[in-house]
Short mmCIF file of all heavy atoms in Angstrom, two decimals:
data_model
loop_
_atom_site.label_atom_id
_atom_site.label_comp_id
_atom_site.label_asym_id
_atom_site.label_seq_id
_atom_site.Cartn_x
_atom_site.Cartn_y
_atom_site.Cartn_z
N ILE A 270 91.29 32.83 -157.90
CA ILE A 270 90.78 33.67 -158.98
C ILE A 270 91.61 34.97 -159.08
O ILE A 270 92.35 35.30 -158.16
CB ILE A 270 89.30 34.07 -158.75
CG1 ILE A 270 89.15 34.82 -157.41
CG2 ILE A 270 88.39 32.83 -158.78
CD1 ILE A 270 87.85 35.56 -157.27
N SER A 271 91.39 35.68 -160.20
CA SER A 271 91.97 37.02 -160.33
C SER A 271 90.94 38.04 -160.79
O SER A 271 91.27 39.23 -160.89
CB SER A 271 93.13 37.03 -161.34
OG SER A 271 94.19 36.20 -160.93
N GLY A 272 89.73 37.60 -161.17
CA GLY A 272 88.81 38.56 -161.78
C GLY A 272 87.36 38.21 -161.64
O GLY A 272 86.87 37.91 -160.55
N ARG A 273 86.69 38.17 -162.80
CA ARG A 273 85.23 38.06 -162.91
C ARG A 273 84.62 36.91 -162.12
O ARG A 273 83.54 37.02 -161.55
CB ARG A 273 84.94 37.91 -164.41
CG ARG A 273 83.54 37.74 -164.82
CD ARG A 273 83.47 37.67 -166.33
NE ARG A 273 84.25 36.55 -166.87
CZ ARG A 273 84.27 36.20 -168.15
NH1 ARG A 273 83.58 36.90 -169.03
NH2 ARG A 273 84.98 35.18 -168.56
N GLY A 274 85.25 35.77 -162.15
CA GLY A 274 84.78 34.65 -161.33
C GLY A 274 83.59 33.90 -161.87
O GLY A 274 82.86 33.25 -161.11
N SER A 275 83.38 33.90 -163.20
CA SER A 275 82.22 33.16 -163.72
C SER A 275 82.44 31.65 -163.59
O SER A 275 81.48 30.90 -163.36
CB SER A 275 81.90 33.55 -165.16
OG SER A 275 82.83 33.01 -166.06
N ASN A 276 83.67 31.19 -163.69
CA ASN A 276 83.92 29.76 -163.46
C ASN A 276 83.73 29.40 -161.99
O ASN A 276 83.23 28.32 -161.67
CB ASN A 276 85.34 29.38 -163.93
CG ASN A 276 85.38 29.10 -165.43
OD1 ASN A 276 84.82 28.10 -165.88
ND2 ASN A 276 86.00 29.99 -166.18
N LEU A 277 84.09 30.32 -161.10
CA LEU A 277 83.82 30.11 -159.67
C LEU A 277 82.32 29.98 -159.44
O LEU A 277 81.86 29.08 -158.72
CB LEU A 277 84.39 31.28 -158.86
CG LEU A 277 83.89 31.39 -157.43
CD1 LEU A 277 84.37 30.21 -156.59
CD2 LEU A 277 84.32 32.72 -156.79
N ALA A 344 90.92 29.17 -161.40
CA ALA A 344 89.82 29.51 -162.31
C ALA A 344 89.95 30.98 -162.68
O ALA A 344 89.39 31.86 -162.03
CB ALA A 344 88.47 29.22 -161.63
N GLY A 345 90.78 31.24 -163.69
CA GLY A 345 91.05 32.62 -164.06
C GLY A 345 92.06 33.26 -163.13
O GLY A 345 92.04 34.47 -162.92
N PHE A 346 92.94 32.45 -162.57
CA PHE A 346 94.02 32.97 -161.69
C PHE A 346 95.23 33.25 -162.58
O PHE A 346 95.77 32.34 -163.20
CB PHE A 346 94.36 31.94 -160.62
CG PHE A 346 95.42 32.40 -159.66
CD1 PHE A 346 95.18 33.44 -158.77
CD2 PHE A 346 96.67 31.78 -159.62
CE1 PHE A 346 96.15 33.87 -157.87
CE2 PHE A 346 97.65 32.19 -158.72
CZ PHE A 346 97.38 33.23 -157.85
N MET A 347 95.60 34.53 -162.67
CA MET A 347 96.55 34.93 -163.71
C MET A 347 97.99 35.08 -163.18
O MET A 347 98.73 35.97 -163.59
CB MET A 347 96.07 36.24 -164.37
CG MET A 347 94.66 36.15 -164.92
SD MET A 347 94.37 34.71 -166.01
CE MET A 347 94.82 35.42 -167.57
N ASN A 364 93.99 23.69 -163.47
CA ASN A 364 93.75 25.03 -164.03
C ASN A 364 92.85 24.89 -165.25
O ASN A 364 92.92 23.89 -165.97
CB ASN A 364 95.10 25.63 -164.46
CG ASN A 364 94.96 27.00 -165.11
OD1 ASN A 364 94.23 27.86 -164.62
ND2 ASN A 364 95.66 27.22 -166.22
N ILE A 365 92.01 25.90 -165.47
CA ILE A 365 91.27 25.95 -166.74
C ILE A 365 91.88 27.04 -167.61
O ILE A 365 92.18 28.14 -167.13
CB ILE A 365 89.75 26.15 -166.55
CG1 ILE A 365 89.06 26.11 -167.91
CG2 ILE A 365 89.41 27.41 -165.76
CD1 ILE A 365 87.60 25.75 -167.86
N HIS A 366 92.10 26.68 -168.89
CA HIS A 366 92.75 27.61 -169.81
C HIS A 366 91.97 27.65 -171.12
O HIS A 366 91.58 26.58 -171.64
CB HIS A 366 94.20 27.17 -170.06
CG HIS A 366 94.92 28.09 -170.99
ND1 HIS A 366 95.30 29.36 -170.62
CD2 HIS A 366 95.30 27.94 -172.28
CE1 HIS A 366 95.89 29.94 -171.65
NE2 HIS A 366 95.90 29.11 -172.66
N PRO A 367 91.75 28.85 -171.69
CA PRO A 367 90.90 28.95 -172.88
C PRO A 367 91.64 28.68 -174.19
O PRO A 367 91.71 29.54 -175.07
CB PRO A 367 90.37 30.39 -172.81
CG PRO A 367 91.46 31.13 -172.13
CD PRO A 367 92.11 30.18 -171.16
N GLY A 375 99.28 31.08 -172.30
CA GLY A 375 99.42 32.53 -172.15
C GLY A 375 98.16 33.28 -172.49
O GLY A 375 97.06 32.74 -172.42
N LEU A 376 98.35 34.52 -172.95
CA LEU A 376 97.22 35.45 -173.13
C LEU A 376 96.73 35.47 -174.58
O LEU A 376 97.36 34.91 -175.47
CB LEU A 376 97.64 36.87 -172.72
CG LEU A 376 98.08 37.01 -171.25
CD1 LEU A 376 98.60 38.43 -171.00
CD2 LEU A 376 96.93 36.68 -170.30
N THR A 378 94.38 34.09 -176.32
CA THR A 378 94.28 32.78 -176.98
C THR A 378 93.29 32.82 -178.16
O THR A 378 93.54 32.19 -179.19
CB THR A 378 93.84 31.71 -175.98
OG1 THR A 378 92.59 32.11 -175.41
CG2 THR A 378 94.87 31.52 -174.88
N HIS A 379 92.18 33.57 -177.99
CA HIS A 379 91.16 33.56 -179.04
C HIS A 379 91.69 34.23 -180.31
O HIS A 379 91.55 33.72 -181.42
CB HIS A 379 89.88 34.26 -178.55
CG HIS A 379 89.41 33.77 -177.21
ND1 HIS A 379 89.29 32.44 -176.92
CD2 HIS A 379 89.08 34.44 -176.08
CE1 HIS A 379 88.88 32.30 -175.67
NE2 HIS A 379 88.76 33.50 -175.14
N ALA A 392 88.83 24.82 -174.88
CA ALA A 392 89.40 25.06 -173.55
C ALA A 392 89.91 23.74 -172.99
O ALA A 392 89.47 22.67 -173.41
CB ALA A 392 88.35 25.66 -172.62
N LEU A 401 103.88 28.01 -167.41
CA LEU A 401 102.61 28.68 -167.72
C LEU A 401 101.68 27.77 -168.53
O LEU A 401 102.08 27.29 -169.60
CB LEU A 401 102.92 29.95 -168.51
CG LEU A 401 101.73 30.79 -168.97
CD1 LEU A 401 101.01 31.39 -167.78
CD2 LEU A 401 102.20 31.89 -169.92
N ASP A 402 100.47 27.54 -168.02
CA ASP A 402 99.44 26.77 -168.74
C ASP A 402 100.02 25.46 -169.29
O ASP A 402 99.88 25.13 -170.47
CB ASP A 402 98.82 27.62 -169.87
CG ASP A 402 98.23 28.90 -169.32
OD1 ASP A 402 97.59 28.86 -168.26
OD2 ASP A 402 98.43 29.96 -169.93
N LEU A 427 82.76 30.37 -175.92
CA LEU A 427 83.52 29.36 -175.18
C LEU A 427 83.18 29.35 -173.69
O LEU A 427 83.21 28.29 -173.07
CB LEU A 427 85.02 29.60 -175.37
CG LEU A 427 85.96 28.51 -174.86
CD1 LEU A 427 85.66 27.16 -175.52
CD2 LEU A 427 87.41 28.89 -175.10
N ILE A 428 82.83 30.50 -173.13
CA ILE A 428 82.79 30.55 -171.66
C ILE A 428 81.72 29.61 -171.08
O ILE A 428 81.97 28.95 -170.06
CB ILE A 428 82.64 32.01 -171.14
CG1 ILE A 428 82.95 32.07 -169.64
CG2 ILE A 428 81.29 32.60 -171.42
CD1 ILE A 428 84.41 31.95 -169.28
N GLU A 431 83.22 26.31 -171.10
CA GLU A 431 84.23 26.23 -170.03
C GLU A 431 83.58 25.86 -168.71
O GLU A 431 84.10 25.04 -167.95
CB GLU A 431 84.93 27.59 -169.84
CG GLU A 431 86.02 27.90 -170.81
CD GLU A 431 86.85 29.09 -170.34
OE1 GLU A 431 87.14 29.25 -169.15
OE2 GLU A 431 87.21 29.90 -171.21
N HIS A 432 82.43 26.49 -168.45
CA HIS A 432 81.77 26.23 -167.16
C HIS A 432 81.41 24.76 -167.02
O HIS A 432 81.62 24.14 -165.99
CB HIS A 432 80.50 27.09 -167.03
CG HIS A 432 80.80 28.56 -166.99
ND1 HIS A 432 79.85 29.52 -167.28
CD2 HIS A 432 81.95 29.24 -166.73
CE1 HIS A 432 80.41 30.72 -167.18
NE2 HIS A 432 81.67 30.57 -166.85
C1 LIG B 680 88.53 32.00 -168.29
O1 LIG B 680 88.26 32.13 -169.67
C2 LIG B 680 89.71 31.09 -168.05
O2 LIG B 680 89.78 30.02 -168.96
C3 LIG B 680 90.87 32.05 -168.25
O3 LIG B 680 90.45 33.23 -167.61
C4 LIG B 680 89.02 33.33 -167.73
C5 LIG B 680 88.48 33.59 -166.34
O4 LIG B 680 87.11 33.89 -166.40
N1 LIG B 680 92.08 31.54 -167.67
C6 LIG B 680 93.29 31.76 -168.20
O5 LIG B 680 93.48 32.44 -169.17
C7 LIG B 680 94.44 31.08 -167.46
N2 LIG B 680 95.62 31.12 -168.23
P1 LIG B 680 86.23 33.90 -165.08
O6 LIG B 680 86.99 34.79 -164.08
O7 LIG B 680 84.92 34.48 -165.49
O8 LIG B 680 86.12 32.49 -164.59
#
Side-chain angles (χ1 to χ4, degrees):
I270 58 164
S271 297
R273 178 178 60 174
S275 74
N276 276 291
L277 165 67
F346 181 67
M347 305 309 271
N364 178 45
I365 183 157
H366 180 71
L376 299 175
T378 57
H379 311 311
L401 178 67
D402 303 318
L427 190 58
I428 194 74
E431 279 193 39
H432 296 160

